[in-house]
Amino acid sequence: MKSSLRTRSTRGLAAGALSVALLTSAAATAFAADPVAPDPAASMSTKAPSPTATKSSKPTHKPAVTAASITIRANRTEVKSGQSVTFTGQTNGLKAGDRLDLQRFDGKKWVTVKTATVKKGSKATYTLVIKLTGMGKEMLRVVHGKTMSRTVTITVK
């Protein structure tokens, strides 16, 4: 009986020492993980901030600028060589009078074939008419600076 009491005492002492070591390391880790000390003035305040005090009536930043965009629509997707195609569309974020370039892909690069300007008015529209004389598929788009429309493919027979 004497040996079992000694074994239990040793086990209890070992478990206690292990618990103290784990708690000490956890406390040290918690203090090391929080480099910002709490603000004593903040903890002494008993009055909650009012909702109007945190929100100002005027925004402190400038509103986000909307990205410019250009739409394109062709009146035909298939034409005979020598026939005209009318491209129309609207712009968003561009001013009246801004220059628009109608570009054609020649297999290696985009080449400007015609220019137009954004019309005055609330819809900021444009119209471009070109005559296609080549044969095959023509890929065209409208560009203003770095803003461009989607590509439209016209089949010329």
Side-chain angles (χ1 to χ4, degrees), residues 62-93:
K62 293 182 180 179
V65 177
T66 57
S69 64
I70 303 172
T71 64
I72 186 170
R73 183 175 50 239
N75 67 337
R76 303 177 188 177
T77 56
E78 287 187 13
V79 294
K80 291 183 180 178
S81 181
Q83 285 185 322
S84 295
V85 178
T86 303
F87 295 95
T88 57
Q90 290 184 338
T91 63
N92 185 17

Short mmCIF file of all heavy atoms in Angstrom, two decimals, residues 62-93:
data_model
loop_
_atom_site.label_atom_id
_atom_site.label_comp_id
_atom_site.label_asym_id
_atom_site.label_seq_id
_atom_site.Cartn_x
_atom_site.Cartn_y
_atom_site.Cartn_z
N LYS A 62 -13.79 61.42 -51.93
CA LYS A 62 -14.44 61.72 -53.20
C LYS A 62 -15.23 60.50 -53.66
O LYS A 62 -14.81 59.37 -53.43
CB LYS A 62 -13.40 62.07 -54.25
CG LYS A 62 -12.68 63.35 -53.96
CD LYS A 62 -11.69 63.67 -55.06
CE LYS A 62 -10.95 64.95 -54.77
NZ LYS A 62 -9.97 65.26 -55.80
N PRO A 63 -16.36 60.70 -54.33
CA PRO A 63 -17.11 59.56 -54.83
C PRO A 63 -16.31 58.83 -55.90
O PRO A 63 -15.51 59.43 -56.61
CB PRO A 63 -18.40 60.17 -55.41
CG PRO A 63 -18.08 61.61 -55.61
CD PRO A 63 -17.01 61.96 -54.63
N ALA A 64 -16.54 57.54 -56.01
CA ALA A 64 -15.82 56.74 -56.99
C ALA A 64 -16.18 57.17 -58.40
O ALA A 64 -17.35 57.42 -58.71
CB ALA A 64 -16.15 55.26 -56.80
N VAL A 65 -15.19 57.25 -59.25
CA VAL A 65 -15.41 57.62 -60.64
C VAL A 65 -15.84 56.37 -61.39
O VAL A 65 -15.21 55.32 -61.28
CB VAL A 65 -14.11 58.19 -61.26
CG1 VAL A 65 -14.30 58.50 -62.73
CG2 VAL A 65 -13.66 59.40 -60.50
N THR A 66 -16.94 56.48 -62.12
CA THR A 66 -17.40 55.32 -62.87
C THR A 66 -16.51 55.11 -64.08
O THR A 66 -16.07 56.06 -64.72
CB THR A 66 -18.86 55.49 -63.35
OG1 THR A 66 -18.92 56.68 -64.15
CG2 THR A 66 -19.80 55.60 -62.18
N ALA A 67 -16.24 53.87 -64.37
CA ALA A 67 -15.38 53.54 -65.50
C ALA A 67 -16.13 53.82 -66.80
O ALA A 67 -17.34 53.63 -66.90
CB ALA A 67 -14.98 52.08 -65.44
N ALA A 68 -15.39 54.29 -67.77
CA ALA A 68 -15.99 54.56 -69.08
C ALA A 68 -16.29 53.24 -69.77
O ALA A 68 -15.61 52.23 -69.56
CB ALA A 68 -15.05 55.40 -69.92
N SER A 69 -17.33 53.25 -70.61
CA SER A 69 -17.67 52.04 -71.37
C SER A 69 -18.25 52.46 -72.72
O SER A 69 -18.78 53.55 -72.87
CB SER A 69 -18.67 51.17 -70.61
OG SER A 69 -19.88 51.86 -70.44
N ILE A 70 -18.11 51.55 -73.67
CA ILE A 70 -18.62 51.78 -75.02
C ILE A 70 -19.36 50.52 -75.46
O ILE A 70 -18.84 49.42 -75.33
CB ILE A 70 -17.46 52.06 -76.01
CG1 ILE A 70 -16.63 53.25 -75.55
CG2 ILE A 70 -18.01 52.29 -77.41
CD1 ILE A 70 -15.37 53.47 -76.36
N THR A 71 -20.58 50.70 -75.97
CA THR A 71 -21.31 49.58 -76.55
C THR A 71 -21.24 49.69 -78.06
O THR A 71 -21.00 50.77 -78.61
CB THR A 71 -22.78 49.57 -76.11
OG1 THR A 71 -23.42 50.75 -76.61
CG2 THR A 71 -22.90 49.51 -74.59
N ILE A 72 -21.44 48.57 -78.75
CA ILE A 72 -21.41 48.58 -80.21
C ILE A 72 -22.47 47.62 -80.73
O ILE A 72 -22.72 46.57 -80.13
CB ILE A 72 -20.02 48.18 -80.75
CG1 ILE A 72 -19.95 48.34 -82.27
CG2 ILE A 72 -19.63 46.79 -80.32
CD1 ILE A 72 -18.55 48.20 -82.85
N ARG A 73 -23.10 48.03 -81.84
CA ARG A 73 -24.10 47.18 -82.49
C ARG A 73 -24.00 47.44 -84.00
O ARG A 73 -23.95 48.59 -84.45
CB ARG A 73 -25.49 47.51 -81.97
CG ARG A 73 -26.58 46.62 -82.54
CD ARG A 73 -27.96 46.86 -81.93
NE ARG A 73 -28.32 48.27 -81.94
CZ ARG A 73 -28.61 48.98 -80.84
NH1 ARG A 73 -28.57 48.43 -79.67
NH2 ARG A 73 -28.93 50.25 -80.94
N ALA A 74 -23.96 46.36 -84.77
CA ALA A 74 -23.92 46.48 -86.23
C ALA A 74 -25.31 46.18 -86.78
O ALA A 74 -26.01 45.30 -86.26
CB ALA A 74 -22.90 45.51 -86.82
N ASN A 75 -25.70 46.89 -87.85
CA ASN A 75 -27.02 46.64 -88.41
C ASN A 75 -27.06 45.35 -89.21
O ASN A 75 -28.13 44.82 -89.49
CB ASN A 75 -27.49 47.83 -89.26
CG ASN A 75 -26.66 48.02 -90.52
OD1 ASN A 75 -25.50 47.59 -90.60
ND2 ASN A 75 -27.23 48.69 -91.51
N ARG A 76 -25.89 44.82 -89.59
CA ARG A 76 -25.81 43.54 -90.31
C ARG A 76 -24.60 42.76 -89.82
O ARG A 76 -23.59 43.34 -89.46
CB ARG A 76 -25.61 43.77 -91.81
CG ARG A 76 -26.66 44.61 -92.47
CD ARG A 76 -26.28 44.81 -93.91
NE ARG A 76 -27.18 45.78 -94.52
CZ ARG A 76 -27.05 46.20 -95.74
NH1 ARG A 76 -26.08 45.76 -96.50
NH2 ARG A 76 -27.91 47.06 -96.24
N THR A 77 -24.72 41.45 -89.88
CA THR A 77 -23.56 40.61 -89.55
C THR A 77 -23.01 39.92 -90.80
O THR A 77 -21.92 39.35 -90.75
CB THR A 77 -23.93 39.53 -88.51
OG1 THR A 77 -25.02 38.75 -89.00
CG2 THR A 77 -24.28 40.17 -87.18
N GLU A 78 -23.76 39.95 -91.92
CA GLU A 78 -23.32 39.42 -93.20
C GLU A 78 -23.63 40.44 -94.29
O GLU A 78 -24.74 40.95 -94.36
CB GLU A 78 -24.03 38.11 -93.54
CG GLU A 78 -23.58 36.93 -92.72
CD GLU A 78 -24.19 35.62 -93.22
OE1 GLU A 78 -24.77 35.59 -94.33
OE2 GLU A 78 -24.09 34.63 -92.49
N VAL A 79 -22.61 40.74 -95.12
CA VAL A 79 -22.81 41.67 -96.23
C VAL A 79 -22.06 41.15 -97.45
O VAL A 79 -21.17 40.31 -97.35
CB VAL A 79 -22.27 43.09 -95.90
CG1 VAL A 79 -23.08 43.72 -94.79
CG2 VAL A 79 -20.80 43.07 -95.56
N LYS A 80 -22.46 41.66 -98.62
CA LYS A 80 -21.72 41.38 -99.84
C LYS A 80 -20.61 42.42 -99.95
O LYS A 80 -20.73 43.53 -99.43
CB LYS A 80 -22.64 41.47 -101.05
CG LYS A 80 -23.66 40.36 -101.10
CD LYS A 80 -24.49 40.47 -102.36
CE LYS A 80 -25.52 39.35 -102.39
NZ LYS A 80 -26.39 39.43 -103.58
N SER A 81 -19.52 42.06 -100.61
CA SER A 81 -18.40 42.97 -100.77
C SER A 81 -18.87 44.27 -101.42
O SER A 81 -19.57 44.26 -102.42
CB SER A 81 -17.31 42.31 -101.62
OG SER A 81 -16.22 43.18 -101.76
N GLY A 82 -18.51 45.41 -100.81
CA GLY A 82 -18.91 46.72 -101.32
C GLY A 82 -20.12 47.31 -100.62
O GLY A 82 -20.42 48.49 -100.82
N GLN A 83 -20.81 46.54 -99.80
CA GLN A 83 -21.97 47.06 -99.07
C GLN A 83 -21.52 47.76 -97.79
O GLN A 83 -20.45 47.49 -97.25
CB GLN A 83 -22.94 45.93 -98.71
CG GLN A 83 -23.76 45.42 -99.87
CD GLN A 83 -24.78 44.39 -99.41
OE1 GLN A 83 -24.51 43.58 -98.53
NE2 GLN A 83 -25.95 44.43 -100.01
N SER A 84 -22.37 48.66 -97.33
CA SER A 84 -22.08 49.43 -96.11
C SER A 84 -22.66 48.75 -94.88
O SER A 84 -23.68 48.07 -94.94
CB SER A 84 -22.67 50.83 -96.22
OG SER A 84 -22.05 51.54 -97.25
N VAL A 85 -21.98 48.97 -93.75
CA VAL A 85 -22.44 48.50 -92.45
C VAL A 85 -22.48 49.72 -91.53
O VAL A 85 -21.55 50.52 -91.51
CB VAL A 85 -21.50 47.43 -91.87
CG1 VAL A 85 -21.97 46.98 -90.50
CG2 VAL A 85 -21.38 46.24 -92.80
N THR A 86 -23.58 49.85 -90.78
CA THR A 86 -23.72 50.96 -89.84
C THR A 86 -23.52 50.44 -88.42
O THR A 86 -24.17 49.49 -87.99
CB THR A 86 -25.12 51.60 -89.96
OG1 THR A 86 -25.31 52.02 -91.30
CG2 THR A 86 -25.27 52.78 -89.02
N PHE A 87 -22.58 51.07 -87.72
CA PHE A 87 -22.31 50.73 -86.32
C PHE A 87 -22.86 51.85 -85.45
O PHE A 87 -22.61 53.02 -85.69
CB PHE A 87 -20.80 50.60 -86.08
CG PHE A 87 -20.18 49.46 -86.83
CD1 PHE A 87 -19.58 49.69 -88.06
CD2 PHE A 87 -20.19 48.18 -86.33
CE1 PHE A 87 -19.00 48.66 -88.77
CE2 PHE A 87 -19.62 47.14 -87.04
CZ PHE A 87 -19.03 47.37 -88.26
N THR A 88 -23.63 51.47 -84.45
CA THR A 88 -24.18 52.43 -83.49
C THR A 88 -23.89 51.95 -82.08
O THR A 88 -23.61 50.76 -81.86
CB THR A 88 -25.71 52.59 -83.66
OG1 THR A 88 -26.31 51.31 -83.50
CG2 THR A 88 -26.07 53.16 -85.01
N GLY A 89 -23.96 52.86 -81.15
CA GLY A 89 -23.75 52.48 -79.77
C GLY A 89 -23.85 53.66 -78.84
O GLY A 89 -24.10 54.79 -79.26
N GLN A 90 -23.67 53.38 -77.58
CA GLN A 90 -23.72 54.41 -76.54
C GLN A 90 -22.42 54.37 -75.76
O GLN A 90 -21.75 53.34 -75.68
CB GLN A 90 -24.88 54.16 -75.58
CG GLN A 90 -26.23 54.39 -76.19
CD GLN A 90 -27.34 54.22 -75.15
OE1 GLN A 90 -27.17 53.56 -74.14
NE2 GLN A 90 -28.49 54.81 -75.41
N THR A 91 -22.11 55.51 -75.17
CA THR A 91 -20.93 55.59 -74.32
C THR A 91 -21.36 55.98 -72.92
O THR A 91 -22.38 56.64 -72.73
CB THR A 91 -19.92 56.63 -74.86
OG1 THR A 91 -20.52 57.91 -74.83
CG2 THR A 91 -19.48 56.28 -76.26
N ASN A 92 -20.59 55.58 -71.97
CA ASN A 92 -20.83 55.94 -70.58
C ASN A 92 -19.51 56.44 -70.01
O ASN A 92 -18.49 55.77 -70.14
CB ASN A 92 -21.33 54.73 -69.79
CG ASN A 92 -21.71 55.10 -68.37
OD1 ASN A 92 -21.90 56.26 -68.05
ND2 ASN A 92 -21.80 54.10 -67.52
N GLY A 93 -19.50 57.62 -69.41
CA GLY A 93 -18.29 58.16 -68.84
C GLY A 93 -17.46 58.98 -69.82
O GLY A 93 -16.38 59.43 -69.48
#
